[in-house]
Structures are given as C-alpha cells and as structure tokens.
Amino acid sequence: AQTVTQSQPEMSVQEAETVTLSCTYDTSESDYYLFWYKQPPSRQMILVIRQEAYKQQNATENRFSVNFQKAAKSFSLKISDSQLGDAAMYFCAFHNAGGTSYGKLTFGQGTILTVHP
Amino acid sequence: DTAVSQTPKYLVTQMGNDKSIKCEQNLGHDTMYWYKQDSKKFLKIMFSYNNKELIINETVPNRFSPKSPDKAHLNLHINSLELGDSAVYFCASSPNSREADTQYFGPGTRLTVL
C-alpha cells in the first residue's frame, strides 16, 4: 500500500517570500502521479499542481513549482512570491498509474501554511 | 456554474438518525468519489463509482451506502449515525478511473452528529 507523509504540520512565510513544503511517499510502483491540493478556510479542495512520475522535468504553475526526486521518493512544493491568498492547508497526494487504482488518491496529513503580511 | 455541487453544506443531526448527502457534477465525467475528512483534517477515500458502477469500497461500515442513479449523481446515505461519523464529506469527480485524471472536488458537507 502506498503512504504519503508530510512531516511539517505547520509552516509560515512572510508575504513576497518563498516557502517550501515537504512531501515523501512510499510505493513499489514505478509509474504514478503526484499532486498538491490546497484547502483554504472555505474548505474547497483546489488542485495546485500535478506531476507525472515518468516525466523528469519538474512541473511549474506560475508561482508554484515542485522538486520531484523519484529516487528519494520526495515531492516538495515551492511557493514563490507568497501572497496572503496562499494561506491554506496543503495536501500532497499520490495516485498509482496502474489500471486497478480506479482513481484512488492517497493523501498526506496536510501542512497548514500561514502567510504573514 | 458550479462543477461539482453537494447538498446540504451543513448537516446537524442526532445519533441514530439516517441522513443522505447528495452530489451532482455537470462536467460530463464518468467517475465520482466520496472522501471523508476527519477532525484532524485527514482525507481518505470511501467509495468510487465509474459510470454508475461501484469500483472502490474502502472498508467503510455498511451503514454507509452510496447510490449512483446516473453518472452525474452520486449520493451517500448513512444509517444509524454515530458520533464518530462527524466529519466533512467531499464528493469529487474525474473524467475516468483508468488514468490519473485530476479530480474536481465539491465544497464539502460538514456533518455533525450530536
């Protein structure tokens, strides 16, 4: 079974600064997908970024980028130029690419990000 | 237009009651899911349906019964509610279950059992 671990229960950052959220996972599969979801106080789950394990290039979406280290099974999220609206709980999630996964996402415990003005 | 909607958003009820949560998606997706987020914010999948067929059932107590009347709707019925059922329940959908498509989540239903 896959497990996802977010070792930072809480992080904080000053507005306009950069912060990195950590995620490690454990799997015996070679083909899979990784996601970061954001959950603001409104509790809506919003996709931030996604990475396919077969791609060596790290995914980027505007101010959000990942550092995907497949051998180390590490998938960190970097938020540049942090904004007040980035304050939320961030979840790392894993999806096995195999046909029997049926869309099952396995989530980490979450990291609460506070952004200070 | 809301892509994935859930009703109600809040539900407060007494132990032992039976309640339902409804979910609808207008994205034309084939696959829908129910997740439970507990008081520690941990999210775990409960069920998944693909084209009205159950494909994931994650050892959820049989007091929980999902029903999919069509591929745009996935409802969750809970019998004999217990205190431990208090949580936020999220519905989600994705284009299909065969690939790791992005899942789109509803706004969640906060269930409080007294």
Side-chain angles (χ1 to χ4, degrees):
Chain A
Q2 289 82 21
T3 58
V4 179
T5 303
Q6 293 177 248
S7 58
Q8 306 155 318
E10 296 184 37
M11 290 286 283
S12 64
V13 65
Q14 289 293 131
E15 202 175 359
E17 298 290 307
T18 295
V19 65
T20 298
L21 308 184
S22 302
C23 173
T24 58
Y25 56 94
D26 188 25
T27 183
S28 57
E29 304 293 335
S30 59
D31 196 13
Y32 48 85
Y33 299 80
L34 295 160
F35 304 83
W36 278 98
Y37 277 87
K38 166 185 175 180
Q39 187 178 38
S42 67
R43 79 167 183 247
Q44 179 74 50
M45 293 288 289
I46 302 163
L47 178 71
V48 175
I49 201 164
R50 134 193 191 131
Q51 173 82 42
E52 290 85 354
Y54 64 83
K55 288 187 179 176
Q56 291 188 334
Q57 189 172 5
N58 288 326
T60 61
E61 285 288 340
N62 301 315
R63 298 181 296 107
F64 299 88
S65 61
V66 299
N67 183 2
F68 173 49
Q69 301 288 328
K70 192 171 184 180
K73 295 181 182 171
S74 168
F75 182 61
S76 59
L77 174 70
K78 185 169 93 170
I79 307 174
S80 304
D81 186 25
S82 297
Q83 300 175 359
L84 294 177
D86 295 334
M89 189 143 190
Y90 285 80
F91 291 95
C92 179
F94 173 101
H95 183 285
N96 186 2
T100 56
S101 295
Y102 302 124
K104 177 181 172 180
L105 275 175
T106 300
F107 285 90
Q109 307 92 321
T111 297
I112 299 172
L113 177 67
T114 303
V115 181
H116 297 290
Chain B
D1 277 345
T2 305
V4 182
S5 59
Q6 293 178 229
T7 53
K9 287 199 169 59
Y10 298 92
L11 187 51
V12 181
T13 188
Q14 298 287 331
M15 236 174 17
N17 284 350
D18 303 338
K19 289 293 177 188
S20 291
I21 306 171
K22 296 187 175 184
C23 177
E24 177 181 0
Q25 54 95 3
N26 62 7
L27 297 166
H29 289 168
D30 282 347
T31 309
M32 296 184 73
Y33 312 83
W34 278 111
Y35 288 87
K36 178 180 179 181
Q37 186 173 42
D38 63 23
S39 58
K40 293 183 179 168
K41 302 288 190 180
F42 186 65
L43 268 159
K44 192 171 191 301
I45 192 165
M46 300 173 69
F47 300 104
S48 172
Y49 269 75
N50 186 64
N51 240 329
K52 302 194 295 175
E53 283 191 42
L54 179 67
I55 53 174
I56 293 177
N57 182 342
E58 284 286 305
T59 58
V60 177
N62 57 16
R63 297 183 297 102
F64 290 78
S65 52
K67 278 198 171 55
S68 182
D70 56 62
K71 73 175 192 177
H73 296 84
L74 179 61
N75 303 324
L76 183 65
H77 187 76
I78 315 170
N79 288 327
S80 304
L81 277 155
E82 299 177 357
L83 293 177
D85 298 332
S86 295
V88 179
Y89 292 85
F90 285 97
C91 176
S93 74
S94 66
N96 65 63
S97 63
R98 294 184 302 278
E99 299 172 8
D101 294 312
T102 296
Q103 294 183 20
Y104 295 85
F105 284 77
T109 295
R110 180 177 294 280
L111 171 65
T112 303
V113 182
L114 303 174

